[in-house]
Amino acid sequence: MNFDFSDDQKALRNQSRRFLETACSMQRLRRILDNNEATYDRELWKSIAEQGWLGACIREEHGGLGLSHLELCVLSEELGRVLAPIPFASTVYLFAEALMLAGSEDQKLSYLPRIARGDLIGAVAGDDWIGSIIPLAQNRRTSFDNVGVTAQDCRLNGIKSAVIDGGIADAGIVLAREQDLLSLFIVNLNAKGVARKKVRTLDPTRDCAQWQFGEVLAERLGRPGQGSKILETVFDKAAVLIAFEQLGGADRCLEMAGLYAADRYAFGKPIGSFQAIKHKLVDVFVKNELARANCYFGAWALNTNAIQLPIAASAARVAASDAFWHASKENIQTHGGIGYTWESDCHLFYRRACLLSTAIASPEIWKERLVSHLEYQAEE
Amino acid sequence: MDFEDSEDEANYRAVVRTWLEANVPNDANGKHRRGVEGSESLRSARSWQARKASAGYACIHWPREWGGPAGTPIQSVIFHQEESKFVTPPNPFHIGLNMSVPTVLAFSDQKTRERFGFSAMNGDEIWCQLFSEPSGGSDLAAARTRVRKTQDGTGDWIINGQKVWTSFAHIADFGLILCRSNTDAPKHNGLTMFWVDLRSQGVEVRPIHEMNGSSTFNEVFFTDVRISDNQRLGPVDGGWKVAVQTLMNERLQSDSSGADWIDVLKMARRLPSIYGKSALQNPAVRQQLAQWYIQSEGLKHTRNRVITALSRGHTPGPENSIMKLVRASQMQDLSHAAIEIMGRFGVVDEAGGPEERSLFQDSLMWAPGLRIAGGTDEILRNIIAERVLRLPRDASHDKS
């Protein structure tokens, strides 16, 4: 049995944690929070590009480090701990993964080295068709109508609303209706005919925008009609990686709450000595540990491209979404009144928990995906 | 990251598997049974234990000085994984061999070790653990069973009092017993640990009729039971430390019995619901199934993480502590939901009906016991809070 990260991967974790403690402190995060114009931490983006994080899983011939997805999981967890205000998930888990999965060699050579260098931010707009991740859904075709962009002769028209990191992305991958098919296209977001509008969200430390396309010339990704199939796999992979971010955030919430509960006195003793607080925080710990175990299985399935990936990814996503939400709300509660202030960092985790659990379709939909697969598996 | 054995582990597993195929008795019955019913099943249990002991597969990680084969913890895990794939006789030895006997052996001289180590390992003698009392189950240090030194110059001790919730006491030969030796000292400083022969005069064992109808626990009464001073384990009034060490011997939980998510899924697929489709089409049932699956998988992979630590020669981290806390409540909720899915047929306790019904009913009726036995949910939360999360101890009113 070897169900853990290796010593090298653990060393990478320690090293990246130390780096992010200063490079992505809460003070730096607050500069994004408190400045309406700021959209992401450019300095942090530049320095993680220099360390190769953006190309961790990109093959060496495409300008990356060619590491495994396990190393990427380690980085994701650390970025999640510090709520890194950068478009890492959009660019690395979604855009780059979709290109590596479905792009032509020319497309890979054109985009991947720029991603690895930190010169290109990517975003993916495709979860408006929620049916795409549920394999046995009978309403696959009826939910076509939700897809807000149409394509004809590689020209896009229509709207994608609330695309995370959509305002700062240079290129986008767009799911579009092409007659009775769903296909993917790569769009240069600075091209003629693209109109972008900033969208405010509950989490101001991450960018979000609406994309409006008017006769925008786009580049095809994958074959016509392959859109939902490709996205299904991309979302599975991203679900595992985002789950690690959520796990990192959840752990940090538990640490914050534990430290505060040990320091804060009421009725003559630390509030952490009261069972009402102890038992609450143990429930947080339990959810975090269950999420961690499911995340690790997701990491294994992601790294080995196992046939269990859809089940493993769904389980990791649901468990980690639940853990982060629960940890972030009980962290505020443990802090009491001070936790409800703008100055306290608690709400930043609460906000991020909501952003991450609703990105790439919400847990309710992933639960359905999970049970559909379990049902199918039990029939065999 | 993978689920593969190392080379040594794979070799060991292959050897174990071959041995099991050749040695598991054909007459084995009662896989995953908690109790031992009848002399026949006890005889087969003893004979299986002796066969394992003679091959070095009993108490695998006991050191040589205890008469053990001095294997590694991971070998012990591998043997139990492989053994659980077979139908084997019931195991009334595990509480003794995992908790009581290691304490006896650790706190006694070589002569006593030789007297008890092998016979316990061989299944000749069964040990129980006499800790809980009517006055305190969670609060073990509140023990009132009194032990007094005789004044006749023999140095012997006399025990009076009552223990409760003692598994296997009705078939046990010996027990580890925590007694109150000093009523003037603060409660943790007035306890002494002994081993006691349950066949001594003045010992009476009464099975408890439990809420699910079975009797796996006992009350044990001590009336002027005389024991010698060389049955004492650790110093006089120093029994609390010995008890804490015994409780640390907790083994890796690997009990996979009881209803799980897959049982609900299989049943819900067949049964109709109010929607006129199968109950499995009910979105509420599906959402719950997803939660139970995540819990079960979470526990399974947490166990894999623990085994990995053992495999690498490390001490497992605190993750193991959540096992029973999660499983007991999950089993309770899941079996209750399953019974509600079956409607009024869910409570019918007759032959026939959905094939999983008795499994859900057994789990439903055992779950309240599992949430209490071996540390209640509340005590486990206190332990995790203090030992894992390092939260400050609650101010006790009973400590010096």
Side-chain angles (χ1 to χ4, degrees):
Chain A
M1 185 67 64
N2 182 30
F3 188 62
D4 197 359
F5 290 98
S6 67
D7 287 347
D8 282 352
Q9 287 155 354
K10 287 179 181 172
L12 174 66
R13 172 188 295 163
N14 293 338
Q15 196 188 326
S16 46
R17 184 169 300 184
R18 273 198 307 276
F19 164 73
L20 288 170
E21 264 163 27
T22 47
C24 189
S25 62
M26 283 291 146
Q27 289 86 330
R28 290 190 62 89
L29 184 66
R30 281 181 176 276
R31 283 197 222 160
I32 308 295
L33 177 75
D34 292 333
N35 177 353
N36 280 334
E37 301 310 311
T39 46
Y40 73 106
D41 189 333
R42 288 164 197 276
E43 215 175 300
L44 177 63
W45 189 249
K46 193 161 163 278
S47 61
I48 67 165
E50 282 161 8
Q51 296 182 64
W53 292 12
L54 295 171
C57 285
I58 294 174
R59 284 158 54 178
E60 286 172 80
E61 62 262 40
H62 297 138
L65 296 179
L67 297 173
S68 82
H69 277 95
L70 294 179
E71 279 82 10
L72 188 54
C73 289
V74 167
L75 296 175
S76 302
E77 190 176 341
E78 295 310 314
L79 289 166
R81 277 180 66 87
V82 295
L83 305 178
I86 48 175
F88 193 78
S90 307
T91 305
V92 177
Y93 316 156
L94 291 166
F95 191 91
E97 288 290 340
L99 268 163
M100 290 192 278
L101 184 73
S104 66
E105 189 57 29
D106 281 351
Q107 285 172 329
K108 289 178 190 171
L109 282 169
S110 154
Y111 291 101
L112 295 177
R114 283 192 278 160
I115 290 173
R117 285 198 305 269
D119 291 343
L120 185 134
I121 292 171
V124 173
D127 62 352
D128 44 0
W129 188 48
I130 60 169
S132 68
I133 65 158
I134 298 172
L136 305 175
Q138 289 130 357
N139 58 352
R140 277 200 161 205
R141 298 188 59 87
T142 57
S143 53
F144 262 50
D145 295 345
N146 297 336
V147 178
V149 170
T150 58
Q152 194 157 18
D153 302 328
C154 286
R155 286 185 184 276
L156 305 185
N157 283 287
I159 288 177
K160 288 288 184 188
S161 49
V163 182
I164 294 175
D165 300 318
I168 54 179
D170 303 294
I173 291 173
V174 175
L175 183 74
R177 275 185 287 157
E178 196 173 28
Q179 279 135 9
D180 59 346
L181 299 174
L182 287 175
S183 305
L184 289 178
F185 296 88
I186 306 174
V187 183
N188 173 358
L189 293 167
N190 301 312
K192 192 165 162 278
V194 179
R196 290 197 262 182
K197 197 168 80 185
K198 186 179 171 72
V199 173
R200 278 197 312 243
T201 72
L202 283 175
D203 183 0
T205 62
R206 288 289 295 277
D207 178 63
C208 188
Q210 184 200 69
W211 293 346
Q212 184 165 4
F213 302 116
E215 286 294 307
V216 175
L217 188 62
E219 185 184 339
R220 192 179 283 289
L221 178 68
R223 290 200 306 276
Q226 270 193 321
S228 57
K229 186 86 201 87
I230 295 167
L231 276 191
E232 201 175 318
T233 306
V234 171
F235 282 175
D236 276 343
K237 293 181 171 202
V240 175
L241 293 159
I242 291 174
F244 271 93
E245 288 195 7
Q246 292 168 311
L247 179 64
D251 276 343
R252 186 86 183 278
C253 288
L254 179 57
E255 289 166 21
M256 288 166 71
L259 287 174
Y260 188 80
D263 274 359
R264 169 76 182 181
Y265 273 66
F267 307 103
K269 44 187 174 177
I271 61 168
S273 67
F274 296 117
Q275 291 191 343
I277 297 292
K278 278 191 171 125
H279 291 193
K280 176 202 297 300
L281 295 185
V282 169
D283 289 342
V284 172
F285 172 74
V286 166
K287 277 184 191 286
N288 287 7
E289 290 306 302
L290 291 175
R292 189 176 336 275
N294 279 289
C295 281
Y296 278 32
F297 186 59
W300 170 82
L302 170 62
N303 191 48
T304 55
N305 212 9
I307 53 166
Q308 295 99 322
L309 179 62
I311 287 178
S314 305
R317 171 139 181 88
V318 175
S321 296
D322 186 32
F324 194 11
W325 161 244
H326 187 243
S328 71
K329 77 187 167 81
E330 297 310 330
N331 185 30
I332 298 176
Q333 186 68 17
T334 304
H335 278 75
I338 197 79
Y340 188 63
T341 62
W342 187 261
E343 288 72 24
S344 160
D345 293 331
C346 295
H347 70 109
L348 302 177
F349 290 84
Y350 191 71
R351 292 171 183 279
R352 183 61 64 81
C354 290
L355 185 87
L356 293 184
S357 73
T358 54
I360 65 161
S362 61
E364 194 190 356
I365 292 163
W366 287 89
K367 283 184 198 167
E368 178 52 39
R369 173 168 172 75
L370 173 61
V371 176
S372 296
H373 275 281
L374 294 176
E375 205 179 342
Y376 183 68
Q377 187 178 277
E379 271 164 24
E380 282 183 333
Chain B
M1 183 182 284
D2 58 54
F3 300 93
E4 306 305 320
D5 286 329
S6 71
E7 202 183 324
D8 284 351
E9 289 163 10
N11 291 340
Y12 185 79
R13 191 183 296 279
V15 170
V16 160
R17 189 149 186 107
T18 310
W19 184 86
L20 285 166
E21 276 161 7
N23 286 279
V24 170
N26 300 324
D27 61 342
N29 53 7
K31 191 189 188 191
H32 294 322
R33 266 226 310 266
R34 286 194 304 280
V36 183
E37 288 125 37
S39 55
E40 191 46 49
S41 94
L42 183 55
R43 216 175 356 258
S44 67
R46 285 189 198 278
S47 132
W48 176 232
Q49 184 67 22
R51 203 177 291 188
K52 287 193 283 187
S54 66
Y57 294 132
C59 309
I60 288 170
H61 60 280
W62 277 16
R64 293 250 180 254
E65 59 266 33
W66 293 6
T72 61
I74 193 71
Q75 288 177 337
S76 182
V77 168
I78 290 171
F79 183 83
H80 290 298
Q81 284 174 342
E82 293 302 316
E83 187 189 20
S84 69
K85 293 175 187 165
F86 292 82
V87 177
T88 52
N91 184 346
F93 312 107
H94 64 86
I95 290 181
L97 295 180
N98 287 299
M99 302 186 74
S100 312
V101 182
T103 302
V104 173
L105 300 184
F107 283 91
S108 50
D109 56 20
Q110 191 56 29
K111 201 175 137 210
T112 313
R113 284 179 193 156
E114 282 164 14
R115 163 64 189 83
F116 290 119
F118 178 77
S119 61
M121 185 167 69
N122 207 43
D124 299 336
E125 290 168 343
I126 296 175
W127 283 75
C128 63
Q129 180 182 292
L130 299 151
F131 281 15
S132 291
E133 294 191 12
S135 62
S138 294
D139 186 6
L140 284 180
R144 288 184 189 169
T145 294
R146 194 75 174 91
V147 68
R148 283 191 182 82
K149 195 150 203 168
T150 57
Q151 301 302 320
D152 57 8
T154 56
D156 288 355
W157 299 77
I158 302 286
I159 301 178
N160 277 287
Q162 184 197 345
K163 294 290 178 177
V164 74
W165 305 120
T166 314
S167 304
F168 302 115
H170 59 300
I171 53 170
D173 304 284
F174 297 97
L176 185 66
I177 186 167
L178 186 64
C179 298
R180 169 81 40 212
S181 47
N182 185 339
T183 50
D184 298 329
K187 74 181 198 184
H188 293 82
N189 301 340
L191 297 162
T192 304
M193 189 77 84
F194 295 89
W195 61 263
V196 61
D197 185 339
L198 289 188
R199 294 157 303 195
S200 308
Q201 201 178 356
V203 178
E204 188 195 350
V205 178
R206 290 187 208 155
I208 295 172
H209 193 195
E210 290 138 33
M211 67 163 265
N212 63 354
S214 63
S215 291
T216 53
F217 302 108
N218 300 275
E219 294 177 291
V220 186
F221 295 86
F222 294 84
T223 312
D224 293 331
V225 176
R226 190 179 187 101
I227 56 172
S228 100
D229 189 53
N230 63 23
Q231 290 173 245
R232 178 163 48 82
L233 303 165
V236 174
D237 295 346
W240 181 244
K241 276 190 180 148
V242 184
V244 168
Q245 184 161 337
T246 306
L247 296 171
M248 303 280 252
N249 290 337
E250 229 176 336
R251 73 200 172 112
L252 184 58
Q253 289 255 349
S254 62
D255 184 5
S256 56
S257 62
D260 208 342
W261 64 273
I262 186 74
D263 305 302
V264 182
L265 186 148
K266 284 179 176 166
M267 184 198 69
R269 200 168 49 187
R270 292 196 319 271
L271 292 188
S273 80
I274 49 168
Y275 297 90
K277 302 174 187 166
S278 77
L280 189 53
Q281 300 304 110
N282 179 345
V285 172
R286 296 174 80 79
Q287 299 277 313
Q288 281 185 317
L289 265 175
Q291 290 294 3
W292 296 326
Y293 174 81
I294 283 159
Q295 288 174 335
S296 294
E297 285 290 293
L299 294 182
K300 179 171 119 191
H301 294 304
T302 298
R303 188 172 302 121
N304 285 336
R305 293 179 57 217
V306 171
I307 295 171
T308 299
L310 294 176
S311 172
R312 294 181 181 179
H314 302 156
T315 306
E319 54 274 359
N320 198 29
S321 57
I322 68 169
M323 293 285 179
K324 189 182 83 92
L325 183 59
V326 173
R327 175 59 182 153
S329 280
Q330 181 213 31
M331 188 200 282
Q332 188 166 39
D333 294 346
L334 171 154
S335 52
H336 179 249
I339 278 164
E340 290 196 337
I341 288 171
M342 287 183 269
R344 67 183 186 285
F345 299 108
V347 297
V348 172
D349 189 11
E350 302 271 353
E355 58 180 283
E356 300 90 352
R357 185 168 66 192
S358 66
L359 173 67
F360 290 127
Q361 289 184 347
D362 288 351
S363 293
L364 181 84
M365 299 308 285
W366 164 233
L370 186 58
R371 288 186 57 194
I372 296 164
T376 62
D377 287 1
E378 293 72 21
I379 288 292
L380 291 180
R381 284 191 171 90
N382 283 350
I383 291 172
I384 294 170
E386 289 168 14
R387 301 211 188 127
V388 180
L389 304 182
R390 302 280 167 202
L391 289 172
R393 289 189 62 88
D394 199 0
S396 302
H397 301 291
D398 58 1
K399 288 229 165 118
S400 45

